[in-house]
Amino acid sequence: MEKSQVKWLYISVGFSLAVLIIILYFTINENTLSYLQKINPWFLLLAFLTHILTMCFWAWRVQKMSGSLGYRIGFFYSLNLVFANLLAAAVTPAQTGGEPVRIHELYKANVPIGDATAVVIMERVLDGIALAALAAFAMIVLTEQWKSLGAISEIMVYVTWVFVAGCLFLFYLAIRRPDIIKRVVTRCARFFTKKWEEARVEELLIRADKEIDNFQLAVVKFVKSSKGGLLWGMLFTLLYWVSEIVTASLILMGLGQPPLFLESFVIQLILAILMMIPLTPGSSGIAEVGATTMYALFIPASIVGIFVVIWRIVLYYFNIALGILSSIIIVRREAKKAVE
């Protein structure tokens, strides 16, 4: 990792640990020990295995979508690509650092930069569509569950749905009317960069225009020539999110609590969308506080802090460990190629 990435990793992990310590301080009491005695380690192990299965769904998505463009990528190469992406995602807001890693690894697998970019961009689009669909399902079918979260959480459901719907609308405009998006981006950029040098602003605008064009070309390419890749991609995207959401229920069962499948579905959906908003590196702090606030409505305060710690270990710290392991594999692979 570069020095700047290491610095952000320390910041992200440090902030997350600080928030978790505060949460534990306010939630651990004399009843916590009695709850800990009910722990079922098999369900906790199953939570880790389910999270790995989630990563496999992601790897299959990359493999199938690349295959639909005519490129053969092995499953384990794709899985290692996903693991490598996790480390960069953990230290960047909205997990955006993972995209360049995936593009780079696809390029190393002999996928041209243009097609690699198309695959990664369409992954983001499919994530947005899946989350919007799941949010609509939660609002229409699971009405009692999301209303049980209280007025503030009810508002959060609407806000997150509007956020995702807005992103999808921007996706639509970027495909059908990229000129409108370019004009909006130009005005926003000039408003927020008034103190920048003109040359720097122009460079930013040129880069933004290029990314908008890349996005349009990526979508058109898949819609015209790789509809099968989109169908496979959508299937594995839905499996990915459902599997990721179920992991929290398995952790609850491991702590001797009811699985709260429906309530947890709504909560995890809200958290997933909130974590896509670029506020902190790896969504540190946001995920911990959000999970504590909402799960405290359904499980005893004595155990909610322990739950959040284990949940973050599975979905965040375990990701970092997998990412480091994958990075070592990639470094050794490149070193071996250099010797040959």
Side-chain angles (χ1 to χ4, degrees):
M1 291 181 68
E2 298 177 0
K3 288 185 178 180
S4 60
Q5 292 178 315
V6 173
K7 180 188 73 173
W8 283 109
L9 178 60
Y10 285 147
I11 292 173
S12 180
V13 171
F15 189 38
S16 175
L17 287 174
V19 173
L20 287 175
I21 289 171
I22 293 172
I23 290 172
L24 289 175
Y25 176 80
F26 284 105
T27 57
I28 289 180
N29 55 37
E30 62 277 3
N31 297 321
T32 302
L33 183 60
S34 62
Y35 283 112
L36 291 177
Q37 291 173 347
K38 300 176 183 179
I39 285 181
N40 186 330
W42 293 109
F43 277 111
L44 297 182
L45 175 61
L46 185 58
F48 276 100
L49 294 176
T50 301
H51 184 54
I52 292 177
L53 177 62
T54 303
M55 297 300 105
C56 289
F57 287 141
W58 191 347
W60 277 315
R61 179 174 72 175
V62 173
Q63 185 184 36
K64 288 293 186 179
M65 291 179 70
S66 300
S68 70
L69 295 178
Y71 307 104
R72 297 187 62 182
I73 300 176
F75 169 74
F76 289 106
Y77 183 93
S78 183
L79 185 61
N80 193 66
L81 172 157
V82 169
F83 288 164
N85 144 92
L86 295 176
L87 183 58
V91 299
T92 51
Q95 304 177 4
T96 53
E99 274 77 4
V101 173
R102 301 204 301 281
I103 292 172
H104 177 267
E105 284 301 291
L106 285 172
Y107 174 72
K108 288 292 184 179
N110 298 320
V111 180
I113 287 290
D115 288 344
T117 303
V119 170
V120 172
I121 288 175
M122 284 308 302
E123 283 188 288
R124 275 281 178 169
V125 174
L126 292 176
D127 281 333
I129 294 173
L131 287 174
L134 292 173
F137 171 81
M139 293 179 69
I140 297 171
V141 180
L142 306 178
T143 306
E144 293 184 8
Q145 281 70 33
W146 60 257
K147 283 189 175 181
S148 67
L149 295 175
I152 295 178
S153 296
E154 185 176 338
I155 292 172
M156 289 174 62
V157 173
Y158 284 110
V159 170
T160 52
W161 192 86
V162 169
F163 171 77
V164 173
C167 289
L168 291 177
F169 179 67
L170 290 177
F171 289 160
Y172 172 79
L173 283 180
I175 298 167
R176 300 303 297 269
R177 293 296 305 274
D179 57 308
I180 294 178
I181 297 297
K182 288 179 180 180
R183 286 200 298 269
V184 172
V185 170
T186 298
R187 290 177 182 175
C188 291
R190 292 206 174 275
F191 177 80
F192 289 107
T193 58
K194 291 179 179 179
K195 296 183 179 180
W196 288 20
E197 295 179 0
E198 184 61 25
R200 187 181 175 191
V201 176
E202 288 299 325
E203 182 182 352
L204 175 65
L205 293 176
I206 291 172
R207 193 186 316 156
D209 285 352
K210 183 179 179 181
E211 291 304 321
I212 293 170
D213 290 336
N214 286 340
F215 176 82
Q216 184 190 34
L217 291 172
V219 175
V220 171
K221 186 177 185 67
F222 269 97
V223 171
K224 284 188 174 180
S225 60
S226 305
K227 292 184 177 65
L230 287 179
L231 291 175
W232 279 111
M234 193 70 246
L235 171 63
F236 285 119
T237 298
L238 288 171
L239 290 174
Y240 168 89
W241 285 110
V242 170
S243 177
E244 192 82 332
I245 289 169
V246 167
T247 301
S249 294
L250 295 173
I251 296 172
L252 286 171
M253 295 170 72
L255 293 174
Q257 300 299 308
L260 300 173
F261 285 115
L262 299 181
E263 293 83 357
S264 195
F265 181 91
V266 176
I267 293 172
Q268 291 295 316
L269 185 61
I270 294 173
L271 291 172
I273 296 173
L274 287 178
M275 289 165 66
M276 293 179 70
I277 302 175
L279 297 175
T280 61
S283 298
S284 295
I286 297 171
E288 291 84 353
V289 173
T292 303
T293 302
M294 288 185 277
Y295 277 102
L297 298 172
F298 303 103
I299 62 178
S302 306
I303 198 67
V304 69
I306 302 297
F307 163 77
V308 173
V309 168
I310 297 175
W311 177 68
R312 284 302 268 170
I313 287 174
V314 175
L315 299 186
Y316 177 67
Y317 294 98
F318 186 44
N319 282 358
I320 291 175
L322 290 173
I324 292 173
L325 177 62
S326 175
S327 298
I328 293 172
I329 293 173
I330 290 173
V331 169
R332 288 185 174 180
R333 182 195 71 201
E334 295 303 315
K336 185 177 179 182
K337 285 184 178 179
V339 172
E340 293 175 352

